[in-house]
Amino acid sequence: MKAEERAEKAAGYKSAGMCNCCQAVMKSYADSVNVGEETLMQMGAGFGGGMGCMEATCGALAGAAMIAGLKSEGQPATRITKQLLAKFKEKCGATICGDLKGLKTGKVLCSCDNCVRNAVLSLDEVLA
């Protein structure tokens, strides 16, 4: 599946209210990892509103990092996640959920649907 198709699939999951941002990213990779969709949904369940209810890392980014770990088959994925973080920040303007949603500034840097899209696109760029 092409990165753009996977990104739209993930955004569709999110916008339809089927899952949180993390789950949407993870579910969109269900066809390419050795983990069932139900398990992916369970793994991402705690990342709605980012880690700590908008206090820390964006859930979409966290989901992409977990997929990177699955794709590395348990080998250290530090280089991949560092590149993923940089690409995501470049596309979205921040990595913290509250900053992306403009909680303190009133200025939304990136919508949830676009964070989901950008997490998928960033991960595919890093893995290519």
Side-chain angles (χ1 to χ4, degrees), residues 3 29 71 79-80 83 87 120-128:
Y29 282 92
K71 287 190 166 281
R79 180 189 55 79
I80 293 169
Q83 291 174 343
K87 287 190 178 293
V120 169
L121 293 173
S122 295
L123 181 56
D124 274 21
E125 286 174 25
V126 170
L127 294 176

Side-chain angles (χ1 to χ4, degrees), residues 17-41:
M18 296 172 64
C19 20
N20 66 38
C21 296
C22 182
Q23 291 171 316
V25 170
M26 294 181 78
K27 185 175 178 174
S28 75
Y29 282 92
D31 66 325
S32 69
V33 295
N34 291 324
V35 176
E37 191 173 298
E38 184 177 324
T39 301
L40 292 172
M41 293 291 285

